Amino acid sequence: MFSKKIVCTYIFSLIFLFSGIVFANGHGSAQPKKVGILLVAFGSSEASAQVSFDNIDIKVKKAFPNVPVRWSYTSHIIRKKLAKSGKFMDSPEIALAKMADEKFTHIAVQSLHTIRGAEFDDLSNTIDGFKLMGAFQDIQIGQPMLTSQKDIEKTVDAILASIPAKRNASEAVVLMGHGTHHPANAFYSALAYQIQLRDSKVFVGTVEGYPDLDLVQELLKKNNIKKTYLMPFMSVAGDHAKNDMAGDEDDSWKSVLSKAGYECEPILKGTAEYDSFASIWVSHLSESLSHFKQ
Ligand code: CO
């Protein structure tokens, strides 16, 4: 007679073996190739930001018409805020789990961030986790806007192309980047330096990093500027652009610079609204997708 313990071990072994076969069928070469795109933005709870996301969505679907596109936001705070108003956005983790469940085999994850900061690091870690699980046959991550020297050059071109045509050469343009404690903050200075080589009256500042508004003010003074355009250097014209840059509160860039005697004209348009910037992210996505061609 078999003891109860041996029978149980036998049954468990069978279940284990069976689940192994199911797993192999689900993830082995027999599974049909299904390529998908996951776009990953920081997110925004401002309605004014949606036009940026829509533009990217259109550009991506136009460039890769047969590939399903999913969206996710990295910011937990934004997702929570949106959920309260009934709009539910996935985190990259949830979005990837859903794509695994939908039997996608090849995923191109495209970061829509501006620099390789903390959000990008977190996204990379998430993707490493999915790689470890063997959830997909291949998963690639596309770089944010500013990653290589070539990207900086393309970004400078895009910035110069996005400046309003009516601006005359004596007027300044101040870009408001986000800024971060992350070492990738140095990209803002690299960008500022390279813009200066092309147009000495275009300045880069950040809300939370270096260069800051004090430095921008010094440069405006040095250049005898009378009028300046204010433009967000963020993918969306969201909270920072509307309030910190163009708001009526005393500490907004518009208020501070107006008080210092500069005529200010804010432009509330995120970088993702311009095709010149959007094409940088699309080109990074295209690199990822090229890995899946056989
Ligand atoms: Co912020």
Side-chain angles (χ1 to χ4, degrees), residues 23-275:
F23 192 83
N25 277 343
H27 296 264
S29 55
Q31 193 175 339
K33 188 177 182 184
K34 189 175 174 187
V35 179
I37 291 169
L38 176 63
L39 299 176
V40 184
F42 178 80
S44 175
S45 55
E46 297 285 324
S48 58
Q50 194 55 42
V51 60
S52 288
F53 298 138
D54 289 346
N55 187 44
I56 292 279
D57 193 64
I58 290 164
K59 291 284 160 316
V60 167
K61 285 174 180 164
K62 205 175 159 195
F64 315 105
N66 301 315
V67 188
V69 177
R70 304 278 189 270
W71 275 85
S72 65
Y73 289 170
T74 47
S75 169
H76 178 72
I77 296 169
I78 300 283
R79 280 185 275 112
K80 249 175 93 177
K81 223 169 153 183
L82 286 172
K84 277 185 191 155
S85 58
K87 189 181 175 192
F88 299 96
M89 289 297 300
D90 288 331
S91 63
E93 291 86 345
I94 298 290
L96 286 171
K98 284 181 179 173
M99 290 178 93
D101 188 52
E102 287 180 66
K103 302 261 181 282
F104 280 91
T105 57
H106 296 69
I107 309 284
V109 180
Q110 181 56 48
S111 151
L112 299 174
H113 301 104
T114 300
I115 56 166
R116 290 179 57 130
E119 279 83 16
F120 185 81
D121 284 351
D122 290 347
L123 181 61
S124 299
N125 290 338
T126 297
I127 289 169
D128 285 347
F130 277 85
K131 277 184 189 163
L132 268 176
M133 283 192 282
F136 306 105
Q137 285 175 38
D138 198 352
I139 179 165
Q140 297 283 334
I141 183 166
Q143 300 295 324
M145 183 195 288
L146 289 174
T147 302
S148 65
Q149 178 52 30
K150 192 97 210 110
D151 293 331
I152 300 179
E153 287 161 21
K154 282 190 198 169
T155 303
V156 171
D157 286 340
I159 289 168
L160 295 177
S162 66
I163 294 171
K166 63 176 180 176
R167 172 235 179 185
N168 73 49
S170 67
E171 295 168 341
V173 176
V174 171
L175 298 161
M176 179 199 252
H178 194 282
T180 171
H181 57 277
H182 191 280
N185 188 72
F187 269 91
Y188 293 107
S189 306
L191 178 70
Y193 177 79
Q194 289 174 55
I195 293 177
Q196 285 279 302
L197 299 176
R198 301 271 301 274
D199 186 329
S200 64
K201 293 192 173 71
V202 180
F203 306 102
V204 178
T206 63
V207 192
E208 290 174 22
Y210 177 91
D212 59 13
L213 182 58
D214 288 345
L215 180 55
V216 168
Q217 279 207 78
E218 261 177 57
L219 295 170
L220 291 174
K221 203 173 166 194
K222 231 184 194 168
N223 283 273
N224 296 313
I225 300 298
K226 307 258 179 301
K227 178 182 174 171
T228 183
Y229 290 90
L230 302 175
M231 296 171 67
F233 181 62
M234 299 181 206
S235 61
V236 301
D239 183 46
H240 287 303
K242 282 167 76 175
N243 299 314
D244 300 325
M245 189 187 86
D248 291 327
E249 300 79 23
D250 288 349
D251 57 352
S252 79
W253 287 24
K254 187 186 82 179
S255 298
V256 170
L257 294 177
S258 298
K259 209 175 163 195
Y262 302 102
E263 186 193 334
C264 294
E265 186 170 335
I267 294 163
L268 286 171
K269 238 177 134 175
T271 52
E273 287 182 59
Y274 299 91
D275 294 350

